[in-house]
Every structure is written in C-alpha cells, then in structure tokens.
Amino acid sequence: MFRFRLARLLSMKIAQEEQLKIQLSALRSELRRVEDEAKKYEEQLKELGLRIHLTSSRGITGFELSQLLVYRDSIQVQLRSLNERLAQLREQENALRDQYLEARKERRILQNLRERRFRTYVFEQDRAHRLYLDELAVRKYASSRQD
C-alpha cells in the first residue's frame, strides 16, 4: 500500500495556499473599493473645478468662492489620503502575492515528489509481481519435470 510520508506537510501547504488565496482576494476587493472611491473623488474634483470656473465667469461673491475653494481643498485632502491608502494596499498586495506564489511553488514541489514516489512504488510493485509470477512458473515447470 502506497503511503506518502510528507502527506501532512502537503495538506498543510495546500491549506496555506488556499488561505493566502482568500486573503489576496479580500485585499484585491478592498483595493478595487478604494480605487472606485478615489475615482469618485476625482470626478467630484473635476465637477467642482468646472463649477468654480463657470460661477467665477458669471460673477460670484468672495464668500461663495472661498467656500468652494475650501470644499475643493477638502476633496483634495481626501483624495491624497485615498492615494496613500492605495499605495499601502498595493504594497500589501505585492507582499501577499509573493507569499502566495511561494506557497504554490512549495505545494507543486511536494505534489511532484508524491507523484514520482507513487510511480516508483507502482514500478516496484509491478516488478515484485512479475518476480512472483516468474517464480511460480519456474516451480510449475520444475514440478512438471519431476513427474
């Protein structure tokens, strides 16, 4: 009966790979969410720039202009914050992806080792079976010659 001695290690590597894949997926969904939010703020910033331009050409009070500029500044602060968060998330994604690729590589190595050991086991079993059959044939031949 074939028994792979590193089966527990292989199952641990498979579980580790799955866990890293789940973490990577969650991180990527968070990254997409933050990217979408940043795009929303960029759109708001563009719309506000057009609004400031249109209202300033029509005539606007200093108070209204200062309010629009303060609003624009707050959007820019939020956008900078989101861009910093995106940079952090991308760094985390790169580190997690490297860990995942390493875990996948280790799993594949162990699976290939298991397959090679199984092929060797099958070959040895086949060889032992052929030797047994050869011995039976020799005994049968020897007993038929004695009769």
mmCIF file of all heavy atoms in Angstrom, residues 63-108:
data_model
loop_
_atom_site.group_PDB
_atom_site.id
_atom_site.type_symbol
_atom_site.label_atom_id
_atom_site.label_comp_id
_atom_site.label_asym_id
_atom_site.label_seq_id
_atom_site.Cartn_x
_atom_site.Cartn_y
_atom_site.Cartn_z
ATOM 1 N N PHE A 63 -17.274 85.206 -0.527
ATOM 2 C CA PHE A 63 -17.627 84.174 0.455
ATOM 3 C C PHE A 63 -17.946 82.856 -0.239
ATOM 4 O O PHE A 63 -17.487 81.790 0.188
ATOM 5 C CB PHE A 63 -18.823 84.652 1.291
ATOM 6 C CG PHE A 63 -19.281 83.637 2.289
ATOM 7 C CD1 PHE A 63 -18.508 83.348 3.414
ATOM 8 C CD2 PHE A 63 -20.473 82.956 2.121
ATOM 9 C CE1 PHE A 63 -18.918 82.419 4.330
ATOM 10 C CE2 PHE A 63 -20.888 82.012 3.032
ATOM 11 C CZ PHE A 63 -20.123 81.747 4.155
ATOM 12 N N GLU A 64 -18.757 82.912 -1.323
ATOM 13 C CA GLU A 64 -19.095 81.688 -2.054
ATOM 14 C C GLU A 64 -17.856 81.050 -2.665
ATOM 15 O O GLU A 64 -17.686 79.831 -2.641
ATOM 16 C CB GLU A 64 -20.122 81.991 -3.148
ATOM 17 C CG GLU A 64 -21.498 82.329 -2.627
ATOM 18 C CD GLU A 64 -22.434 82.782 -3.731
ATOM 19 O OE1 GLU A 64 -21.944 83.338 -4.748
ATOM 20 O OE2 GLU A 64 -23.641 82.583 -3.578
ATOM 21 N N LEU A 65 -16.977 81.887 -3.212
ATOM 22 C CA LEU A 65 -15.739 81.377 -3.799
ATOM 23 C C LEU A 65 -14.862 80.726 -2.736
ATOM 24 O O LEU A 65 -14.312 79.646 -2.959
ATOM 25 C CB LEU A 65 -14.969 82.510 -4.491
ATOM 26 C CG LEU A 65 -13.689 82.094 -5.207
ATOM 27 C CD1 LEU A 65 -13.991 81.071 -6.291
ATOM 28 C CD2 LEU A 65 -12.986 83.307 -5.781
ATOM 29 N N SER A 66 -14.765 81.346 -1.577
ATOM 30 C CA SER A 66 -13.941 80.759 -0.513
ATOM 31 C C SER A 66 -14.537 79.436 -0.033
ATOM 32 O O SER A 66 -13.800 78.494 0.271
ATOM 33 C CB SER A 66 -13.771 81.736 0.655
ATOM 34 O OG SER A 66 -14.994 81.943 1.312
ATOM 35 N N GLN A 67 -15.870 79.333 0.003
ATOM 36 C CA GLN A 67 -16.495 78.074 0.391
ATOM 37 C C GLN A 67 -16.196 76.976 -0.633
ATOM 38 O O GLN A 67 -15.894 75.835 -0.269
ATOM 39 C CB GLN A 67 -18.006 78.240 0.533
ATOM 40 C CG GLN A 67 -18.434 78.900 1.815
ATOM 41 C CD GLN A 67 -19.953 78.955 1.932
ATOM 42 O OE1 GLN A 67 -20.651 79.058 0.919
ATOM 43 N NE2 GLN A 67 -20.443 78.896 3.160
ATOM 44 N N LEU A 68 -16.282 77.322 -1.908
ATOM 45 C CA LEU A 68 -15.987 76.348 -2.956
ATOM 46 C C LEU A 68 -14.522 75.906 -2.905
ATOM 47 O O LEU A 68 -14.204 74.726 -3.090
ATOM 48 C CB LEU A 68 -16.315 76.920 -4.337
ATOM 49 C CG LEU A 68 -17.803 77.096 -4.657
ATOM 50 C CD1 LEU A 68 -17.977 77.804 -5.994
ATOM 51 C CD2 LEU A 68 -18.508 75.759 -4.671
ATOM 52 N N LEU A 69 -13.635 76.850 -2.625
ATOM 53 C CA LEU A 69 -12.213 76.509 -2.545
ATOM 54 C C LEU A 69 -11.914 75.628 -1.328
ATOM 55 O O LEU A 69 -11.096 74.702 -1.410
ATOM 56 C CB LEU A 69 -11.366 77.783 -2.517
ATOM 57 C CG LEU A 69 -11.376 78.602 -3.815
ATOM 58 C CD1 LEU A 69 -10.586 79.888 -3.647
ATOM 59 C CD2 LEU A 69 -10.846 77.788 -4.985
ATOM 60 N N VAL A 70 -12.575 75.912 -0.221
ATOM 61 C CA VAL A 70 -12.412 75.073 0.978
ATOM 62 C C VAL A 70 -12.928 73.665 0.691
ATOM 63 O O VAL A 70 -12.310 72.665 1.074
ATOM 64 C CB VAL A 70 -13.131 75.697 2.196
ATOM 65 C CG1 VAL A 70 -13.240 74.703 3.344
ATOM 66 C CG2 VAL A 70 -12.402 76.947 2.645
ATOM 67 N N TYR A 71 -14.062 73.594 0.001
ATOM 68 C CA TYR A 71 -14.627 72.292 -0.371
ATOM 69 C C TYR A 71 -13.668 71.537 -1.293
ATOM 70 O O TYR A 71 -13.433 70.347 -1.123
ATOM 71 C CB TYR A 71 -15.993 72.494 -1.023
ATOM 72 C CG TYR A 71 -16.692 71.223 -1.411
ATOM 73 C CD1 TYR A 71 -16.928 70.214 -0.487
ATOM 74 C CD2 TYR A 71 -17.127 71.020 -2.714
ATOM 75 C CE1 TYR A 71 -17.571 69.038 -0.846
ATOM 76 C CE2 TYR A 71 -17.776 69.850 -3.089
ATOM 77 C CZ TYR A 71 -17.992 68.864 -2.150
ATOM 78 O OH TYR A 71 -18.625 67.709 -2.512
ATOM 79 N N ARG A 72 -13.090 72.269 -2.262
ATOM 80 C CA ARG A 72 -12.119 71.659 -3.170
ATOM 81 C C ARG A 72 -10.900 71.142 -2.406
ATOM 82 O O ARG A 72 -10.422 70.034 -2.636
ATOM 83 C CB ARG A 72 -11.672 72.664 -4.226
ATOM 84 C CG ARG A 72 -10.707 72.047 -5.253
ATOM 85 C CD ARG A 72 -10.083 73.057 -6.135
ATOM 86 N NE ARG A 72 -9.194 73.887 -5.305
ATOM 87 C CZ ARG A 72 -8.565 74.956 -5.731
ATOM 88 N NH1 ARG A 72 -8.739 75.377 -6.957
ATOM 89 N NH2 ARG A 72 -7.778 75.637 -4.934
ATOM 90 N N ASP A 73 -10.426 71.948 -1.454
ATOM 91 C CA ASP A 73 -9.279 71.528 -0.647
ATOM 92 C C ASP A 73 -9.592 70.275 0.168
ATOM 93 O O ASP A 73 -8.745 69.383 0.306
ATOM 94 C CB ASP A 73 -8.822 72.656 0.277
ATOM 95 C CG ASP A 73 -8.214 73.817 -0.489
ATOM 96 O OD1 ASP A 73 -7.846 73.631 -1.677
ATOM 97 O OD2 ASP A 73 -8.108 74.919 0.091
ATOM 98 N N SER A 74 -10.806 70.194 0.703
ATOM 99 C CA SER A 74 -11.167 69.010 1.488
ATOM 100 C C SER A 74 -11.232 67.763 0.595
ATOM 101 O O SER A 74 -10.836 66.675 1.013
ATOM 102 C CB SER A 74 -12.484 69.223 2.224
ATOM 103 O OG SER A 74 -13.568 69.267 1.324
ATOM 104 N N ILE A 75 -11.721 67.937 -0.626
ATOM 105 C CA ILE A 75 -11.753 66.810 -1.568
ATOM 106 C C ILE A 75 -10.323 66.381 -1.907
ATOM 107 O O ILE A 75 -10.019 65.185 -1.968
ATOM 108 C CB ILE A 75 -12.539 67.170 -2.843
ATOM 109 C CG1 ILE A 75 -14.028 67.318 -2.520
ATOM 110 C CG2 ILE A 75 -12.347 66.120 -3.928
ATOM 111 C CD1 ILE A 75 -14.863 67.802 -3.693
ATOM 112 N N GLN A 76 -9.435 67.348 -2.096
ATOM 113 C CA GLN A 76 -8.047 67.028 -2.410
ATOM 114 C C GLN A 76 -7.365 66.296 -1.257
ATOM 115 O O GLN A 76 -6.582 65.360 -1.480
ATOM 116 C CB GLN A 76 -7.271 68.295 -2.774
ATOM 117 C CG GLN A 76 -7.655 68.867 -4.123
ATOM 118 C CD GLN A 76 -6.995 70.202 -4.414
ATOM 119 O OE1 GLN A 76 -6.560 70.908 -3.499
ATOM 120 N NE2 GLN A 76 -6.939 70.564 -5.690
ATOM 121 N N VAL A 77 -7.687 66.702 -0.028
ATOM 122 C CA VAL A 77 -7.131 66.011 1.141
ATOM 123 C C VAL A 77 -7.616 64.564 1.173
ATOM 124 O O VAL A 77 -6.840 63.624 1.412
ATOM 125 C CB VAL A 77 -7.499 66.763 2.445
ATOM 126 C CG1 VAL A 77 -7.222 65.919 3.670
ATOM 127 C CG2 VAL A 77 -6.756 68.080 2.523
ATOM 128 N N GLN A 78 -8.922 64.375 0.937
ATOM 129 C CA GLN A 78 -9.477 63.029 0.903
ATOM 130 C C GLN A 78 -8.829 62.196 -0.209
ATOM 131 O O GLN A 78 -8.512 61.021 -0.011
ATOM 132 C CB GLN A 78 -10.995 63.075 0.682
ATOM 133 C CG GLN A 78 -11.780 63.543 1.866
ATOM 134 C CD GLN A 78 -11.754 62.518 2.985
ATOM 135 O OE1 GLN A 78 -11.617 61.324 2.755
ATOM 136 N NE2 GLN A 78 -11.878 62.994 4.207
ATOM 137 N N LEU A 79 -8.627 62.807 -1.343
ATOM 138 C CA LEU A 79 -8.024 62.113 -2.480
ATOM 139 C C LEU A 79 -6.580 61.719 -2.171
ATOM 140 O O LEU A 79 -6.161 60.590 -2.480
ATOM 141 C CB LEU A 79 -8.088 63.003 -3.720
ATOM 142 C CG LEU A 79 -7.810 62.356 -5.055
ATOM 143 C CD1 LEU A 79 -8.712 61.153 -5.281
ATOM 144 C CD2 LEU A 79 -8.004 63.366 -6.173
ATOM 145 N N ARG A 80 -5.826 62.622 -1.552
ATOM 146 C CA ARG A 80 -4.453 62.290 -1.157
ATOM 147 C C ARG A 80 -4.441 61.124 -0.163
ATOM 148 O O ARG A 80 -3.626 60.213 -0.258
ATOM 149 C CB ARG A 80 -3.753 63.504 -0.552
ATOM 150 C CG ARG A 80 -3.059 64.382 -1.565
ATOM 151 C CD ARG A 80 -2.108 65.367 -0.903
ATOM 152 N NE ARG A 80 -2.803 66.309 -0.037
ATOM 153 C CZ ARG A 80 -3.343 67.466 -0.436
ATOM 154 N NH1 ARG A 80 -3.247 67.816 -1.698
ATOM 155 N NH2 ARG A 80 -3.950 68.266 0.411
ATOM 156 N N SER A 81 -5.363 61.168 0.780
ATOM 157 C CA SER A 81 -5.468 60.097 1.766
ATOM 158 C C SER A 81 -5.777 58.761 1.091
ATOM 159 O O SER A 81 -5.183 57.726 1.428
ATOM 160 C CB SER A 81 -6.552 60.450 2.786
ATOM 161 O OG SER A 81 -6.811 59.376 3.633
ATOM 162 N N LEU A 82 -6.695 58.780 0.138
ATOM 163 C CA LEU A 82 -7.037 57.552 -0.584
ATOM 164 C C LEU A 82 -5.868 57.049 -1.426
ATOM 165 O O LEU A 82 -5.633 55.844 -1.519
ATOM 166 C CB LEU A 82 -8.261 57.773 -1.467
ATOM 167 C CG LEU A 82 -9.595 57.869 -0.729
ATOM 168 C CD1 LEU A 82 -10.707 58.236 -1.691
ATOM 169 C CD2 LEU A 82 -9.919 56.557 -0.034
ATOM 170 N N ASN A 83 -5.131 57.971 -2.021
ATOM 171 C CA ASN A 83 -3.969 57.571 -2.818
ATOM 172 C C ASN A 83 -2.887 56.943 -1.940
ATOM 173 O O ASN A 83 -2.230 55.987 -2.346
ATOM 174 C CB ASN A 83 -3.415 58.747 -3.612
ATOM 175 C CG ASN A 83 -4.305 59.094 -4.792
ATOM 176 O OD1 ASN A 83 -4.990 58.240 -5.336
ATOM 177 N ND2 ASN A 83 -4.296 60.352 -5.192
ATOM 178 N N GLU A 84 -2.712 57.477 -0.728
ATOM 179 C CA GLU A 84 -1.763 56.872 0.209
ATOM 180 C C GLU A 84 -2.230 55.472 0.607
ATOM 181 O O GLU A 84 -1.438 54.541 0.687
ATOM 182 C CB GLU A 84 -1.601 57.750 1.451
ATOM 183 C CG GLU A 84 -0.863 59.035 1.207
ATOM 184 C CD GLU A 84 -0.902 59.986 2.392
ATOM 185 O OE1 GLU A 84 -1.404 59.602 3.471
ATOM 186 O OE2 GLU A 84 -0.412 61.127 2.246
ATOM 187 N N ARG A 85 -3.533 55.352 0.849
ATOM 188 C CA ARG A 85 -4.112 54.047 1.202
ATOM 189 C C ARG A 85 -3.936 53.061 0.038
ATOM 190 O O ARG A 85 -3.621 51.893 0.254
ATOM 191 C CB ARG A 85 -5.591 54.219 1.544
ATOM 192 C CG ARG A 85 -6.323 52.951 1.844
ATOM 193 C CD ARG A 85 -6.033 52.460 3.238
ATOM 194 N NE ARG A 85 -6.859 51.290 3.504
ATOM 195 C CZ ARG A 85 -6.401 50.166 3.999
ATOM 196 N NH1 ARG A 85 -5.142 50.073 4.347
ATOM 197 N NH2 ARG A 85 -7.195 49.145 4.188
ATOM 198 N N LEU A 86 -4.124 53.547 -1.193
ATOM 199 C CA LEU A 86 -3.914 52.693 -2.366
ATOM 200 C C LEU A 86 -2.467 52.201 -2.438
ATOM 201 O O LEU A 86 -2.219 51.029 -2.745
ATOM 202 C CB LEU A 86 -4.268 53.445 -3.649
ATOM 203 C CG LEU A 86 -5.729 53.514 -4.022
ATOM 204 C CD1 LEU A 86 -5.929 54.442 -5.210
ATOM 205 C CD2 LEU A 86 -6.269 52.137 -4.336
ATOM 206 N N ALA A 87 -1.534 53.089 -2.169
ATOM 207 C CA ALA A 87 -0.116 52.705 -2.205
ATOM 208 C C ALA A 87 0.166 51.633 -1.153
ATOM 209 O O ALA A 87 0.873 50.635 -1.439
ATOM 210 C CB ALA A 87 0.765 53.923 -1.972
ATOM 211 N N GLN A 88 -0.398 51.796 0.047
ATOM 212 C CA GLN A 88 -0.218 50.788 1.102
ATOM 213 C C GLN A 88 -0.826 49.453 0.683
ATOM 214 O O GLN A 88 -0.218 48.398 0.868
ATOM 215 C CB GLN A 88 -0.875 51.246 2.402
ATOM 216 C CG GLN A 88 -0.189 52.384 3.097
ATOM 217 C CD GLN A 88 -1.000 52.879 4.305
ATOM 218 O OE1 GLN A 88 -2.179 52.570 4.435
ATOM 219 N NE2 GLN A 88 -0.341 53.647 5.160
ATOM 220 N N LEU A 89 -2.030 49.518 0.139
ATOM 221 C CA LEU A 89 -2.706 48.288 -0.279
ATOM 222 C C LEU A 89 -1.946 47.583 -1.400
ATOM 223 O O LEU A 89 -1.865 46.351 -1.427
ATOM 224 C CB LEU A 89 -4.140 48.585 -0.721
ATOM 225 C CG LEU A 89 -5.121 48.936 0.392
ATOM 226 C CD1 LEU A 89 -6.454 49.382 -0.191
ATOM 227 C CD2 LEU A 89 -5.316 47.764 1.332
ATOM 228 N N ARG A 90 -1.374 48.338 -2.303
ATOM 229 C CA ARG A 90 -0.603 47.733 -3.400
ATOM 230 C C ARG A 90 0.662 47.064 -2.867
ATOM 231 O O ARG A 90 1.055 45.993 -3.340
ATOM 232 C CB ARG A 90 -0.280 48.775 -4.455
ATOM 233 C CG ARG A 90 -1.498 49.125 -5.283
ATOM 234 C CD ARG A 90 -1.178 49.976 -6.496
ATOM 235 N NE ARG A 90 -2.383 50.221 -7.250
ATOM 236 C CZ ARG A 90 -2.946 51.419 -7.412
ATOM 237 N NH1 ARG A 90 -2.387 52.486 -6.866
ATOM 238 N NH2 ARG A 90 -4.047 51.551 -8.118
ATOM 239 N N GLU A 91 1.296 47.699 -1.875
ATOM 240 C CA GLU A 91 2.470 47.075 -1.260
ATOM 241 C C GLU A 91 2.077 45.772 -0.569
ATOM 242 O O GLU A 91 2.770 44.752 -0.691
ATOM 243 C CB GLU A 91 3.117 48.020 -0.254
ATOM 244 C CG GLU A 91 3.871 49.172 -0.865
ATOM 245 C CD GLU A 91 4.439 50.126 0.172
ATOM 246 O OE1 GLU A 91 4.533 49.743 1.360
ATOM 247 O OE2 GLU A 91 4.793 51.257 -0.196
ATOM 248 N N GLN A 92 0.963 45.811 0.162
ATOM 249 C CA GLN A 92 0.475 44.605 0.824
ATOM 250 C C GLN A 92 0.135 43.526 -0.207
ATOM 251 O O GLN A 92 0.410 42.344 0.002
ATOM 252 C CB GLN A 92 -0.759 44.911 1.676
ATOM 253 C CG GLN A 92 -0.472 45.721 2.912
ATOM 254 C CD GLN A 92 -1.752 46.091 3.661
ATOM 255 O OE1 GLN A 92 -2.861 45.749 3.252
ATOM 256 N NE2 GLN A 92 -1.599 46.804 4.754
ATOM 257 N N GLU A 93 -0.489 43.955 -1.311
ATOM 258 C CA GLU A 93 -0.843 43.003 -2.359
ATOM 259 C C GLU A 93 0.403 42.339 -2.929
ATOM 260 O O GLU A 93 0.433 41.117 -3.133
ATOM 261 C CB GLU A 93 -1.621 43.702 -3.472
ATOM 262 C CG GLU A 93 -2.001 42.784 -4.611
ATOM 263 C CD GLU A 93 -2.566 43.509 -5.812
ATOM 264 O OE1 GLU A 93 -2.244 44.694 -6.017
ATOM 265 O OE2 GLU A 93 -3.321 42.871 -6.564
ATOM 266 N N ASN A 94 1.449 43.125 -3.181
ATOM 267 C CA ASN A 94 2.688 42.560 -3.727
ATOM 268 C C ASN A 94 3.305 41.562 -2.751
ATOM 269 O O ASN A 94 3.740 40.479 -3.157
ATOM 270 C CB ASN A 94 3.686 43.668 -4.062
ATOM 271 C CG ASN A 94 3.262 44.481 -5.263
ATOM 272 O OD1 ASN A 94 2.508 44.007 -6.109
ATOM 273 N ND2 ASN A 94 3.733 45.707 -5.348
ATOM 274 N N ALA A 95 3.338 41.920 -1.471
ATOM 275 C CA ALA A 95 3.913 41.016 -0.467
ATOM 276 C C ALA A 95 3.084 39.740 -0.355
ATOM 277 O O ALA A 95 3.634 38.630 -0.314
ATOM 278 C CB ALA A 95 3.991 41.722 0.886
ATOM 279 N N LEU A 96 1.772 39.887 -0.334
ATOM 280 C CA LEU A 96 0.887 38.720 -0.211
ATOM 281 C C LEU A 96 0.950 37.851 -1.465
ATOM 282 O O LEU A 96 0.933 36.621 -1.373
ATOM 283 C CB LEU A 96 -0.540 39.196 0.056
ATOM 284 C CG LEU A 96 -1.506 38.217 0.682
ATOM 285 C CD1 LEU A 96 -0.954 37.661 1.983
ATOM 286 C CD2 LEU A 96 -2.839 38.898 0.949
ATOM 287 N N ARG A 97 1.044 38.486 -2.626
ATOM 288 C CA ARG A 97 1.161 37.724 -3.872
ATOM 289 C C ARG A 97 2.460 36.923 -3.884
ATOM 290 O O ARG A 97 2.480 35.758 -4.288
ATOM 291 C CB ARG A 97 1.090 38.653 -5.082
ATOM 292 C CG ARG A 97 1.071 37.887 -6.403
ATOM 293 C CD ARG A 97 1.008 38.776 -7.625
ATOM 294 N NE ARG A 97 2.122 39.706 -7.679
ATOM 295 C CZ ARG A 97 2.003 41.021 -7.661
ATOM 296 N NH1 ARG A 97 0.833 41.592 -7.600
ATOM 297 N NH2 ARG A 97 3.069 41.800 -7.706
ATOM 298 N N ASP A 98 3.551 37.526 -3.400
ATOM 299 C CA ASP A 98 4.821 36.804 -3.333
ATOM 300 C C ASP A 98 4.716 35.600 -2.395
ATOM 301 O O ASP A 98 5.222 34.521 -2.706
ATOM 302 C CB ASP A 98 5.951 37.728 -2.883
ATOM 303 C CG ASP A 98 6.313 38.771 -3.930
ATOM 304 O OD1 ASP A 98 5.927 38.598 -5.108
ATOM 305 O OD2 ASP A 98 6.971 39.772 -3.565
ATOM 306 N N GLN A 99 4.044 35.795 -1.253
ATOM 307 C CA GLN A 99 3.844 34.686 -0.316
ATOM 308 C C GLN A 99 3.004 33.584 -0.971
ATOM 309 O O GLN A 99 3.293 32.391 -0.820
ATOM 310 C CB GLN A 99 3.143 35.159 0.947
ATOM 311 C CG GLN A 99 3.983 36.021 1.849
ATOM 312 C CD GLN A 99 3.180 36.542 3.030
ATOM 313 O OE1 GLN A 99 2.056 36.124 3.278
ATOM 314 N NE2 GLN A 99 3.767 37.470 3.773
ATOM 315 N N TYR A 100 1.963 33.988 -1.678
ATOM 316 C CA TYR A 100 1.089 33.019 -2.347
ATOM 317 C C TYR A 100 1.865 32.228 -3.408
ATOM 318 O O TYR A 100 1.745 31.002 -3.483
ATOM 319 C CB TYR A 100 -0.109 33.735 -2.984
ATOM 320 C CG TYR A 100 -0.912 32.854 -3.902
ATOM 321 C CD1 TYR A 100 -1.730 31.861 -3.400
ATOM 322 C CD2 TYR A 100 -0.826 33.002 -5.288
ATOM 323 C CE1 TYR A 100 -2.450 31.023 -4.237
ATOM 324 C CE2 TYR A 100 -1.542 32.174 -6.130
ATOM 325 C CZ TYR A 100 -2.355 31.192 -5.601
ATOM 326 O OH TYR A 100 -3.054 30.368 -6.439
ATOM 327 N N LEU A 101 2.657 32.935 -4.206
ATOM 328 C CA LEU A 101 3.423 32.259 -5.252
ATOM 329 C C LEU A 101 4.437 31.289 -4.650
ATOM 330 O O LEU A 101 4.647 30.187 -5.178
ATOM 331 C CB LEU A 101 4.121 33.283 -6.149
ATOM 332 C CG LEU A 101 3.192 34.128 -7.025
ATOM 333 C CD1 LEU A 101 3.993 35.200 -7.759
ATOM 334 C CD2 LEU A 101 2.419 33.263 -7.999
ATOM 335 N N GLU A 102 5.040 31.672 -3.527
ATOM 336 C CA GLU A 102 5.985 30.784 -2.854
ATOM 337 C C GLU A 102 5.271 29.547 -2.305
ATOM 338 O O GLU A 102 5.764 28.428 -2.439
ATOM 339 C CB GLU A 102 6.700 31.536 -1.726
ATOM 340 C CG GLU A 102 7.769 30.731 -1.033
ATOM 341 C CD GLU A 102 8.935 30.365 -1.930
ATOM 342 O OE1 GLU A 102 9.232 31.091 -2.899
ATOM 343 O OE2 GLU A 102 9.560 29.323 -1.649
ATOM 344 N N ALA A 103 4.101 29.746 -1.714
ATOM 345 C CA ALA A 103 3.331 28.614 -1.181
ATOM 346 C C ALA A 103 2.892 27.684 -2.309
ATOM 347 O O ALA A 103 2.931 26.454 -2.171
ATOM 348 C CB ALA A 103 2.114 29.119 -0.401
ATOM 349 N N ARG A 104 2.473 28.259 -3.436
ATOM 350 C CA ARG A 104 2.061 27.457 -4.587
ATOM 351 C C ARG A 104 3.240 26.660 -5.137
ATOM 352 O O ARG A 104 3.104 25.482 -5.481
ATOM 353 C CB ARG A 104 1.467 28.346 -5.671
ATOM 354 C CG ARG A 104 0.866 27.560 -6.819
ATOM 355 C CD ARG A 104 0.171 28.438 -7.789
ATOM 356 N NE ARG A 104 1.163 29.200 -8.547
ATOM 357 C CZ ARG A 104 0.878 30.026 -9.530
ATOM 358 N NH1 ARG A 104 -0.373 30.237 -9.861
ATOM 359 N NH2 ARG A 104 1.825 30.657 -10.164
ATOM 360 N N LYS A 105 4.410 27.282 -5.168
ATOM 361 C CA LYS A 105 5.615 26.605 -5.649
ATOM 362 C C LYS A 105 5.958 25.424 -4.730
ATOM 363 O O LYS A 105 6.257 24.323 -5.213
ATOM 364 C CB LYS A 105 6.773 27.607 -5.682
ATOM 365 C CG LYS A 105 8.093 27.037 -6.088
ATOM 366 C CD LYS A 105 9.144 28.130 -6.040
ATOM 367 C CE LYS A 105 10.531 27.577 -6.131
ATOM 368 N NZ LYS A 105 11.550 28.602 -5.904
ATOM 369 N N GLU A 106 5.895 25.643 -3.420
ATOM 370 C CA GLU A 106 6.197 24.577 -2.465
ATOM 371 C C GLU A 106 5.190 23.433 -2.591
ATOM 372 O O GLU A 106 5.561 22.257 -2.527
ATOM 373 C CB GLU A 106 6.209 25.126 -1.044
ATOM 374 C CG GLU A 106 7.378 26.052 -0.771
ATOM 375 C CD GLU A 106 7.290 26.752 0.566
ATOM 376 O OE1 GLU A 106 6.301 26.548 1.300
ATOM 377 O OE2 GLU A 106 8.222 27.522 0.880
ATOM 378 N N ARG A 107 3.908 23.777 -2.772
ATOM 379 C CA ARG A 107 2.881 22.744 -2.939
ATOM 380 C C ARG A 107 3.150 21.921 -4.191
ATOM 381 O O ARG A 107 3.070 20.693 -4.179
ATOM 382 C CB ARG A 107 1.492 23.360 -3.009
ATOM 383 C CG ARG A 107 0.411 22.290 -3.265
ATOM 384 C CD ARG A 107 -0.891 22.837 -3.765
ATOM 385 N NE ARG A 107 -0.867 23.851 -4.770
ATOM 386 C CZ ARG A 107 -0.891 23.620 -6.087
ATOM 387 N NH1 ARG A 107 -0.882 22.403 -6.559
ATOM 388 N NH2 ARG A 107 -0.913 24.632 -6.943
ATOM 389 N N ARG A 108 3.477 22.591 -5.282
ATOM 390 C CA ARG A 108 3.745 21.878 -6.535
ATOM 391 C C ARG A 108 4.956 20.960 -6.405
ATOM 392 O O ARG A 108 4.959 19.845 -6.940
ATOM 393 C CB ARG A 108 3.956 22.873 -7.671
ATOM 394 C CG ARG A 108 2.675 23.492 -8.161
ATOM 395 C CD ARG A 108 2.934 24.410 -9.316
ATOM 396 N NE ARG A 108 1.698 24.963 -9.832
ATOM 397 C CZ ARG A 108 1.639 25.921 -10.724
ATOM 398 N NH1 ARG A 108 2.754 26.444 -11.219
ATOM 399 N NH2 ARG A 108 0.479 26.384 -11.149
#
